[in-house]
Amino acid sequence: MKKICILGSLLLLCSMTSRIEAQKFALIDMERILKNIPAYEMTNEQLNQLSTKWQSEVEALQQEAQNMYKSYQSDMVFLSAEMKTKREEEIFKKEQEALDLKRKYFGTEGELHKKRESLMKPIQDEIYEAVKQISDEKGYQVVVDRASAMSIIYASPKIDISDEVLLKLGYSK
């Protein structure tokens, strides 16, 4: 009985190993693919310009708060307790306004994040569809992005299908 269990386990292990070996893998380099798509570069530039514009707005408010604080410090000896409190509250409001604006533009649910998502999603979907079509045609069970998979130490260039994806998207080299 023991021999039958061991033999059965061995057969099960062998069949699982053969299934693993039969799988086909491929790699893509998402960074290289994106760099070869002009729409991505234009979108990235547009996002950078928007980010710079918004950052200058935030910095202007922060500078205004800082100027208010400097003015307050120089006038402090001449101000009554009530005036000091009022000016401190104004400074605090300005700092809070700058912080709120920064959060609105650059927070996790901020305008920049939403804009990036709306502009990049169509490009990413197009790449995904091309990868899916190539995978279906060539029988790949797994396609790994080498740019984001930090644990890949070495991969044969033979399994990199980035050029095929670019070709499928119409961006051949």
Side-chain angles (χ1 to χ4, degrees):
M1 184 67 176
K2 221 179 199 181
K3 287 182 182 182
I4 293 175
C5 285
I6 292 174
L7 186 61
S9 297
L10 212 70
L11 286 173
L12 182 64
L13 185 63
C14 288
S15 69
M16 287 175 48
T17 304
S18 67
R19 285 188 193 147
I20 292 173
E21 289 175 17
Q23 292 181 353
K24 289 178 70 177
F25 295 89
L27 289 177
I28 60 170
D29 187 343
M30 189 63 88
E31 288 178 11
R32 193 171 97 217
I33 292 170
L34 290 173
K35 284 181 182 174
N36 284 286
I37 297 177
Y40 172 77
E41 292 296 325
M42 289 187 312
T43 298
N44 227 13
E45 183 59 34
Q46 184 181 356
L47 288 170
N48 286 339
Q49 289 173 357
L50 198 56
S51 176
T52 302
K53 177 186 168 218
W54 287 341
Q55 184 64 35
S56 65
E57 286 180 36
V58 170
E59 287 173 359
L61 276 177
Q62 289 172 334
Q63 185 62 47
E64 198 175 326
Q66 196 172 28
N67 291 342
M68 289 171 71
Y69 181 71
K70 286 179 183 175
S71 174
Y72 167 73
Q73 281 184 320
S74 63
D75 296 345
M76 196 161 50
V77 290
F78 305 111
L79 299 174
S80 66
E82 185 179 298
M83 291 290 284
K84 285 180 184 178
T85 305
K86 184 180 179 202
R87 296 270 294 267
E88 288 170 358
E89 287 173 0
E90 289 172 355
I91 294 167
F92 178 76
K93 279 183 184 178
K94 189 58 73 175
E95 289 172 341
Q96 192 61 45
E97 188 179 334
L99 189 62
D100 290 344
L101 189 62
K102 186 175 184 177
R103 197 173 300 124
K104 175 187 173 193
Y105 288 149
F106 303 108
T108 54
E109 296 296 319
E111 296 296 319
L112 186 63
H113 177 76
K114 290 175 186 174
K115 190 76 168 169
R116 176 175 280 120
E117 192 172 297
S118 71
L119 292 173
M120 294 295 189
K121 185 154 177 39
I123 296 168
Q124 290 171 334
D125 289 347
E126 190 178 10
I127 293 169
Y128 173 78
E129 282 303 315
V131 169
K132 186 175 180 303
Q133 287 174 8
I134 292 169
S135 296
D136 289 345
E137 290 168 8
K138 302 227 175 169
Y140 298 124
Q141 282 82 25
V142 177
V143 178
V144 179
D145 177 15
R146 84 169 358 153
S148 64
M150 301 304 272
S151 62
I152 295 177
I153 296 170
Y154 171 79
S156 171
K158 294 176 187 175
I159 64 171
D160 190 330
I161 62 169
S162 300
D163 290 331
E164 290 178 59
V165 173
L166 285 166
L167 188 64
K168 186 74 121 176
L169 293 170
Y171 302 106
S172 61
K173 284 196 158 193

